[in-house]
Amino acid sequence: MSEARILVVEDEESYRDSLKYLLRREGFDVILAADGVQGVEAFTRDGADVVLLDLMLPRMSGTEVFREIRERSNVPIIMVTAKDDQVDKIIGLEPGRR
């Protein structure tokens, strides 16, 4: 059985590197993207079993990345964000509606 592939889309290098280290230590295959455009490209090229997605990204917002990925796949997407405003939470959930 192959290891699960996790796509981490996070612009903050220290968070990205920490997640990569911890996830690889647990046996996951990890793909990294530093902005929204790279995230969509990485998903298109490599696929993923799970996506860890920051909401606040350069070049393309996390919400836009969510929509792009959701158009192609029903892969689980976990929103990772420092935002805690109620409106931001609702906006973050909106792309998953069908």
Side-chain angles (χ1 to χ4, degrees):
M1 182 175 156
S2 64
E3 53 195 22
R5 179 176 295 143
I6 300 178
L7 171 59
V8 176
V9 187
E10 169 62 63
D11 62 320
E12 182 63 43
E13 184 177 12
S14 62
Y15 295 157
R16 204 171 51 242
D17 290 346
S18 295
L19 286 168
K20 177 177 90 173
Y21 172 77
L22 293 169
L23 292 168
R24 284 191 174 159
R25 191 175 78 182
E26 293 299 320
F28 295 102
D29 179 23
V30 181
I31 303 164
L32 301 176
D35 63 46
V37 172
Q38 287 180 10
V40 171
E41 290 171 350
F43 186 82
T44 300
R45 181 185 61 245
D46 302 317
D49 298 303
V50 175
V51 178
L52 297 181
L53 177 62
D54 186 12
L55 274 180
M56 299 182 296
L57 294 167
R59 297 180 59 200
M60 178 186 269
S61 75
T63 304
E64 291 172 290
V65 173
F66 191 116
R67 286 186 182 117
E68 288 284 327
I69 292 173
R70 189 52 71 228
E71 285 180 9
R72 303 167 194 189
S73 172
N74 283 324
V75 64
I77 300 173
I78 300 171
M79 302 296 262
V80 180
T81 184
K83 290 187 166 195
D84 63 359
D85 187 7
Q86 190 72 20
V87 172
D88 293 322
K89 291 176 185 175
I90 293 168
I91 290 170
L93 293 172
E94 186 66 26
R97 294 185 59 202
R98 292 209 174 231

